[in-house]
Amino acid sequence: MTCTTPTVLVHDLASSQREWDGWLDEVGGQCAFAFTYGESAVSVQLQSVMQQVGLGQVAGLARIEDSAVEFGAFVDSVRQRTGAERVQVLAHGAGGLVAQHWIAHSGSQSVETLVTVGPLWNGTDIAGLGTLAAFNRSIGIYDELAALEKPLLDPACAACGQIVADSGYMFDAARGGWTTPGVRYVNVISLFDGLMTDPLSAAVPGSDNRILQSLDGSDRTNHLQLMQNPLVRQVVLDSLSAG
């Protein structure tokens, strides 16, 4: 198989490669590749239960750093199968963090474009967790509390704590910046996302930021609805190269 620019699809937290069912043909057909990453001890235990009720895996729960290693290995395998020098990446939510972690830390130049739908640059403040983390950091107790929580959270969902705004992971990653020279970034953002701290905070400098409400003022799509939105699909396809 020969593909000029294959597309690697990276699912969101608590999802799997089945998130891309219905996308593969439009995105690139035989030149589009989805995979499941980031299984935790809990997701492995849930797998048989999810299969019995006809649902896919609940993955993307492991540490972002560990999932990034899986992503990098998959990118390498796609390049070997297709003969391509570089790939383009389409990611949903936390999948963008996984891809960017590998891009930023691997020294590889294998990624040409990263398109992220519902990007979580700067994390989530769902249930006020980001605000609480910022407060704990301001009074100097964040690290101590995080160390106590880690043995409890990591076996179930290490990434859940990492994506919280002002978490240790987000704090360190933001200092290095969210873009890497040589990579083209496209962020597809809904002002009604509901999971981001502030949707416009994901419109990071150096990126091509596509705001859904600038294209359709009546759009009210939230984070969980993004993958089923025809407008999102149109914007994504316009942002990707032909395979």
Side-chain angles (χ1 to χ4, degrees), residues 108-209:
S108 172
Q109 298 181 349
S110 300
V111 175
E112 179 180 281
T113 300
L114 173 56
V115 179
T116 305
V117 177
L120 289 177
W121 316 130
N122 300 315
T124 178
D125 192 27
I126 192 167
L129 291 175
T131 301
L132 179 61
F135 175 75
N136 290 340
R137 190 179 295 283
S138 71
I139 62 176
I141 64 171
Y142 176 86
D143 291 338
E144 289 80 1
L145 290 178
L148 293 173
E149 294 169 354
K150 185 177 175 63
L152 301 175
L153 289 178
D154 278 12
C157 184
C160 292
Q162 290 182 305
I163 68 169
V164 171
D166 215 52
S167 69
Y169 181 85
M170 299 302 296
F171 185 78
D172 290 341
R175 286 190 298 181
W178 290 114
T179 60
T180 298
V183 180
R184 172 175 168 259
Y185 291 86
V186 181
N187 295 312
V188 183
I189 298 169
S190 171
L191 298 180
F192 295 87
D193 184 285
L195 188 61
M196 301 181 197
T197 45
D198 165 16
L200 288 179
S201 72
V204 295
S207 300
D208 181 1
N209 298 298

Side-chain angles (χ1 to χ4, degrees), residues 11 15 28 77 81 101-102 123 146 163 181 227 238:
H11 62 79
S15 187
S77 72
R81 277 184 276 173
H101 186 94
W102 184 78
I163 68 169
M227 304 308 291
D238 290 344

Side-chain angles (χ1 to χ4, degrees), residues 1 14 19 29 39 70 96 105 109 124 183 185 197 202 218 221:
M1 181 191 305
E19 183 174 80
E39 288 189 282
E70 293 183 59
H105 292 85
Q109 298 181 349
T124 178
V183 180
Y185 291 86
T197 45
S218 66
T221 305

